[in-house]
């Protein structure tokens, strides 16, 4: 694939935590197609990660985002980053009275502790004007279903994280934003899954979004015209939260 000489991402350094499948893989492919040098981490999906690395020319790094030492080491190894995206996320659903507390703690490790520590570490060596983006969820704003408390809590936490870090890093021109998808067709939430009708009933545009649509929004937030957008939540949910 040829990349336009005018692509703002040509030669830029991008890292995506959790990039082997779904939305993360679409983000990796989008930045790679725009000429960036892209690294991404993955935990379980080695075959998918290796295939993506080969097809996009990106670099796959094996490691669990819940392992803070490994996560921070992989951020440090990336060197000076222009764009850092934390996409990895776990979903645990069920009655909070019976949900396994260890599973809830792991969700918090991956969905909240990981982004906090990784964003701080990325910012240490990020170029001025760099971009930090968390993949949150419309459930950070709105929860019309029972059984998703821990997940919703974790995505709301990203909002406070982005608002705070936007202030902390704003003097360096670094922006910090959250992209909040609604139902999006991936392994986590397949468009033919059991809850589809309930989800679509909540939407103005009654279809699952695509990972590529979410990746387009991420890429816009990382682009030069978005330099004044920070500390903000960007919902792409087919009107689920309207
Ligand atoms: P998938 O489950 O389809 O993919 C998750 C990705 O994250 C995989 O690449 C997986 O890699 C990686 N990942 C998960 N856990 C870890 C970990 N501990 N360490 C490193 N990587 C990890 O999810 P989606 O693509 O659907 O979701 C991506 C993000 O978007 C999540 O944060 C999710 O909460 C959010 N989101 C998704 C929505 C949807 O409807 N799909 C709606 C709203 C938000 P591997 O398999 O290699 O472990």
């Amino acid at each position: 694939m040829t990349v336009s000489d005018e692509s703002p991402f040509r030669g830029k350094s991008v890292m995506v935590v959790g990039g082997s499948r779904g939305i993360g893989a679409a983000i990796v492919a989008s930045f790679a197609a725009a000429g960036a040098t892209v690294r991404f981490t993955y935990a379980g999906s080695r075959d998918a990660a290796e295939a993506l690395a080969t097809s996009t020319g990106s670099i796959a790094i094996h490691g669990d985002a819940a392992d803070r030492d490994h996560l921070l080491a992989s951020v440090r190894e990336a060197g000076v980053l222009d764009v850092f995206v934390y996409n990895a996320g776990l979903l645990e659903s069920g009655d909070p009275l019976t949900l396994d507390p260890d599973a809830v703690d792991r969700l918090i490790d991956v969905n909240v502790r990981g982004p906090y520590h990784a964003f701080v570490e990325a910012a240490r060596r990020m170029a001025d004007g760099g971009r930090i983006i968390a993949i949150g969820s419309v459930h950070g704003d709105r929860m019309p279903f029972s059984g998703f408390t821990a997940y919703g809590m974790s995505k709301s936490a990203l909002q406070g994280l982005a608002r705070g870090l936007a202030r902390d890093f704003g003097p360096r021109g670094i922006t910090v934003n959250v992209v909040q998808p609604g139902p999006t067709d991936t392994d986590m939430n397949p468009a033919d899954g059991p809850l589809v009708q309930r989800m679509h009933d909540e939407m103005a545009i009654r279809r699952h979004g695509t990972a590529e649509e979410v990746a387009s929004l991420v890429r816009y937030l990382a682009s030069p015209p978005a330099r004044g957008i920070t500390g903000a939540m960007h919902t792409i949910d087919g009107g689920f939260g309207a």
Side-chain angles (χ1 to χ4, degrees), residues 12-205:
K12 297 289 186 187
S13 179
V14 176
M15 181 164 177
V16 180
V17 174
S20 55
R21 295 182 289 113
I23 292 169
I27 294 168
V28 168
S30 175
F31 280 112
T37 299
V38 185
R39 300 169 160 259
F40 70 91
T41 72
Y42 69 98
S45 304
R46 182 179 296 278
D47 289 351
E50 289 177 354
L52 182 68
T54 302
S55 66
T56 61
S58 55
I59 301 157
I61 302 155
H62 183 241
D64 184 348
D67 177 343
R68 188 177 67 198
D69 289 342
H70 185 278
L71 177 64
L72 297 192
S74 61
V75 175
R76 278 183 219 114
E77 277 164 23
V80 178
L81 286 164
D82 298 291
V83 180
F84 185 81
V85 181
Y86 194 104
N87 167 76
L90 295 180
L91 171 65
E92 294 291 340
S93 60
D95 183 344
L97 299 181
T98 55
L99 211 52
D100 177 0
D102 288 338
V104 173
D105 282 355
R106 178 161 171 77
L107 179 152
I108 293 167
D109 285 349
V110 173
N111 294 15
V112 181
R113 286 181 59 241
Y116 175 86
H117 293 299
F119 288 167
V120 171
E121 192 61 32
R124 286 188 209 287
R125 53 186 57 72
M126 181 166 260
D128 285 1
R131 306 300 163 84
I132 292 175
I133 299 166
I135 307 302
S137 165
V138 67
H139 289 314
D141 281 332
R142 179 164 185 263
M143 182 51 76
F145 311 129
S146 60
F148 292 89
T149 300
Y151 182 75
M153 174 182 73
S154 74
K155 297 303 188 179
S156 298
L158 294 176
Q159 301 183 342
L161 176 60
R163 292 188 182 103
L165 291 183
R167 300 282 183 185
D168 294 325
F169 303 147
R172 292 167 52 196
I174 294 173
T175 67
V176 188
N177 288 286
V178 183
V179 167
Q180 302 191 140
T184 306
D185 186 16
T186 65
D187 296 337
M188 181 188 278
N189 186 359
D192 58 359
L195 292 177
V196 163
Q197 199 52 54
R198 283 177 67 199
M199 285 185 246
H200 290 188
D201 284 348
E202 298 286 332
M203 299 171 80
I205 296 171

